[in-house]
Amino acid sequence: MTLEELKKLISKDETKNIELKKSTGELREGMHTACAFLNSDGGVLVFGVTPSLSIVGQIVSESTRRDIAQALAGIEPAVTPVIEYVDIPDKDNHQVIVLRFNPWVYGNDPYTFHGRPYYRLESVTKAMPRDMFDARIRINMPHKYSWEMRVAEGYSIKDLDVSTIRGVVRLGVEEKRIPVGSLNESIKVILKKWNLLDGDNLRNAAVFLFSKRFSYDYEIRMARFRGTDKNYFIDNQQAHGNFFELLDAGMSFFFKHLSLSGEIKGFKREEHLDVPATALREALINALCHRDYDIYQCSIGIAIYDDRIEIESPGLLPRELTPKTIKRSHKSYPRNEIVATVLYQITYLEKWGSGIKRIMDACKAEGSPQPFWSEEGGYTVVTFPMNKLNGRIVIPNEPQNALQSAPQSALQKRLEAVAAMILANGSIAISVIAQNLNVSRDSIKRDLKKLGYAWEGASKNGRWVKKDRG
């Protein structure tokens, strides 16, 4: 660096990335700033410039160089900045010392000086808050400190829904993602293989996936608004439970408020929602699987308007993705890797990184508008525009009851709704269908018989299968 370059560097005084010290007599304070630069956007530390921006320099001896090296040794992890010595022509043997520090790299350990972390806020060096330090430690060691890896205090295996675990293991076996021998293994062995246990203690991931105890920790907010804003709502619900219960609740809400339409292709009738059910299910699974569960007092939200559907999930997109790039082919960056692995093995997730493409393909196949992603107030939001609602062209702010499809018998509508629910969840209980449609269990049993569905398998581990009524 030349003297002219130095003058240009310090011309704007101290900034977020520049700190000026009169001499190495302020070496310790300078190392606080060096640590802050390393934990922020990097910066330049200069010794030999007064607060009035006069370039005075200092005599740099071997002792000075050793002092600087010893001071830098107090920074952990170890760092080797670029050090330059700038001569001052009109002062014999006087030099300005310039140290350049790189910015913090996302995912690395935070830096400390003599055991204390610092960061840069504008032109001020501050002690790093504990929550910021802890967050960076968790980022650096996700398998040790992530939400899903932490022990779920107060829970034990007896709090898990064993029938659900057995049922999804069977699904994984049928799709050859889980060895056949797992069907006869104990629940504890299965949980260990899925990394859902810390010793004999349940991890948070196990509770989220399979708990049968009521908890406010896992919730979905669901609302059907009239018009295109949140001024008036037609329906407002909350659901609590494990992953499978929340997925069922969300899909049932979609089927309750989105109209079914059908067309005959060959000898088969194909049913369609205003937005493809497969796309909505994939988006909801992604929201449940990838949300940031370290953000407390927040929950996943489903909002249905006259012209769109929004699914919001606490937490922003991975740093490697943006709302603009997420639609392109990309690798998988699961926030909750254990949960994602289990869901893949039990067939609720497909190949990692392909979920967005499946959502878009499903919309394209049925002629629905393409969804888009955004980040709003700490949430990731996927929006499904609708050009139709209940079979008719959307007219903004038109009440829902004015958007009804062509006349159809109540029985036919209910039969179509039942068939759609089974399509979305082949193991859905009769009681759940009855509750969602506000009819008796006996009515649903008769509907299932008319549709040709029969239950196959054990009472808690079976599924609905379409039988030939020929």
Side-chain angles (χ1 to χ4, degrees):
M1 174 180 288
T2 66
L3 185 61
E4 290 303 316
E5 289 172 335
L6 176 63
K7 290 179 179 179
K8 184 176 181 180
L9 176 70
I10 67 173
S11 62
K12 295 182 180 179
D13 203 346
E14 292 183 337
T15 66
K16 183 178 181 181
N17 304 103
I18 299 175
E19 178 82 0
L20 307 177
K21 300 294 184 186
K22 183 177 180 180
S23 72
T24 51
E26 301 176 271
L27 189 56
R28 186 177 182 86
E29 293 81 0
M31 290 301 105
H32 293 169
T33 299
C35 179
F37 284 152
L38 290 163
N39 283 324
S40 305
D41 297 326
V44 181
L45 175 61
V46 180
F47 293 99
V49 178
T50 68
S52 62
L53 302 186
S54 296
I55 299 175
V56 295
Q58 69 176 75
I59 295 175
V60 179
S61 63
E62 285 302 316
S63 176
T64 305
R65 295 174 187 268
R66 283 197 301 271
D67 289 343
I68 293 173
Q70 289 175 356
L72 289 171
I75 297 178
E76 294 183 343
V79 60
T80 54
V82 174
I83 304 178
E84 297 180 80
Y85 299 91
V86 182
D87 294 324
I88 303 177
D90 57 349
K91 281 195 171 186
D92 290 342
N93 300 322
H94 278 61
Q95 294 177 307
V96 173
I97 307 169
V98 180
L99 294 86
R100 296 181 181 274
F101 296 90
N102 293 325
W104 181 69
V105 177
Y106 182 86
N108 284 355
D109 268 337
Y111 287 87
T112 62
F113 177 66
H114 289 171
R116 294 198 63 184
Y118 299 87
Y119 77 111
R120 195 77 165 168
L121 184 62
E122 296 302 330
S123 61
V124 179
T125 295
K126 301 174 69 68
M128 182 178 288
R130 180 60 183 266
D131 58 348
M132 182 186 294
F133 181 81
D134 288 346
R136 295 193 177 190
I137 290 292
R138 288 196 300 268
I139 292 168
N140 178 249
M141 303 181 69
H143 295 294
K144 183 176 181 180
Y145 295 104
S146 66
W147 158 82
E148 61 178 356
M149 288 289 288
R150 295 198 288 271
V151 170
E153 301 292 342
Y155 284 86
S156 66
I157 290 180
K158 68 180 181 181
D159 295 309
L160 302 185
D161 189 334
V162 174
S163 64
T164 297
I165 296 174
R166 293 293 185 192
V168 296
V169 166
R170 181 171 54 80
L171 287 176
V173 170
E174 290 176 355
E175 294 297 322
K176 296 181 174 55
R177 296 185 184 181
I178 296 177
V180 176
S182 298
L183 293 171
N184 300 316
E185 290 176 334
S186 69
I187 294 299
K188 188 172 184 179
V189 169
I190 293 171
L191 295 176
K192 281 186 175 180
K193 287 186 174 181
W194 279 337
N195 202 18
L196 296 175
L197 291 180
D198 182 352
D200 291 329
N201 300 312
L202 293 178
R203 301 189 192 276
N204 282 334
V207 173
F208 167 62
L209 287 167
F210 301 116
S211 176
K212 61 184 178 183
R213 274 174 50 183
F214 178 85
S215 171
Y216 284 104
D217 292 338
Y218 309 117
E219 176 190 65
I220 289 184
R221 296 168 285 108
M222 299 169 285
R224 168 64 174 103
F225 295 99
R226 174 173 293 166
T228 58
D229 54 36
K230 294 183 177 180
N231 291 337
Y232 304 99
F233 62 82
I234 298 169
D235 193 2
N236 187 18
Q237 300 182 23
Q238 292 80 40
H240 302 86
N242 61 37
F243 166 84
F244 302 96
E245 292 167 333
L246 295 178
L247 179 60
D248 282 350
M251 292 307 297
S252 295
F253 193 78
F254 288 133
F255 283 114
K256 180 178 180 181
H257 290 287
L258 299 177
S259 175
L260 279 166
S261 60
E263 59 179 319
I264 304 297
K265 288 191 175 181
F267 295 99
K268 182 180 179 182
R269 178 180 174 86
E270 292 187 356
E271 306 291 350
H272 305 278
L273 287 179
D274 297 310
V275 172
T278 52
L280 294 172
R281 185 175 186 272
E282 185 72 30
L284 184 53
I285 288 175
N286 284 348
L288 290 165
C289 177
H290 302 307
R291 72 152 283 188
D292 188 343
Y293 288 95
D294 277 320
I295 302 177
Y296 299 109
Q297 298 180 334
C298 293
S299 57
I300 291 169
I302 293 174
I304 302 177
Y305 301 88
D306 281 0
D307 64 344
R308 69 193 186 280
I309 298 170
E310 294 178 352
I311 302 175
E312 62 177 22
S313 180
L316 302 179
L317 293 169
R319 291 174 65 92
E320 298 83 356
L321 298 174
T322 69
K324 290 184 178 180
T325 64
I326 192 171
K327 289 186 177 183
R328 303 172 191 166
S329 177
H330 60 267
K331 295 180 180 179
S332 174
Y333 305 100
R335 177 177 277 115
N336 305 303
E337 190 170 346
I338 295 176
V339 172
T341 299
V342 174
L343 293 179
Y344 169 77
Q345 291 188 358
I346 64 176
T347 74
Y348 277 74
L349 278 181
E350 293 303 321
K351 182 181 178 182
W352 288 359
S354 64
I356 304 302
K357 184 177 185 301
R358 289 197 303 276
I359 292 172
M360 296 190 297
D361 287 348
C363 292
K364 182 178 180 181
E366 295 194 16
S368 296
Q370 287 289 290
F372 60 89
W373 282 257
S374 59
E375 294 178 324
E376 302 172 14
Y379 284 76
T380 296
V381 183
V382 54
T383 300
F384 293 88
M386 292 192 294
N387 52 21
K388 289 186 178 182
L389 179 63
N390 295 338
R392 285 184 51 188
I393 301 298
V394 167
I395 300 175
N397 297 317
E398 185 176 359
Q400 184 193 32
N401 57 14
L403 293 171
Q404 296 300 320
S405 56
Q408 188 180 30
S409 73
L411 175 59
Q412 183 60 33
K413 287 183 179 180
R414 194 173 74 222
L415 289 174
E416 292 177 352
V418 171
M421 289 184 191
I422 292 175
L423 179 64
N425 177 9
S427 300
I428 191 169
I430 290 176
S431 59
V432 173
I433 300 175
Q435 182 179 2
N436 286 324
L437 297 179
N438 197 27
V439 296
S440 68
R441 288 169 53 91
D442 288 339
S443 295
I444 298 302
K445 288 179 181 179
R446 289 192 295 269
D447 293 346
L448 291 166
K449 187 175 181 180
K450 289 179 182 293
L451 291 167
Y453 281 104
W455 186 262
E456 189 174 272
S459 59
K460 291 188 176 182
N461 298 331
R463 61 169 59 186
W464 295 107
V465 176
K466 190 93 168 188
K467 301 293 185 180
D468 185 1
R469 292 181 291 172

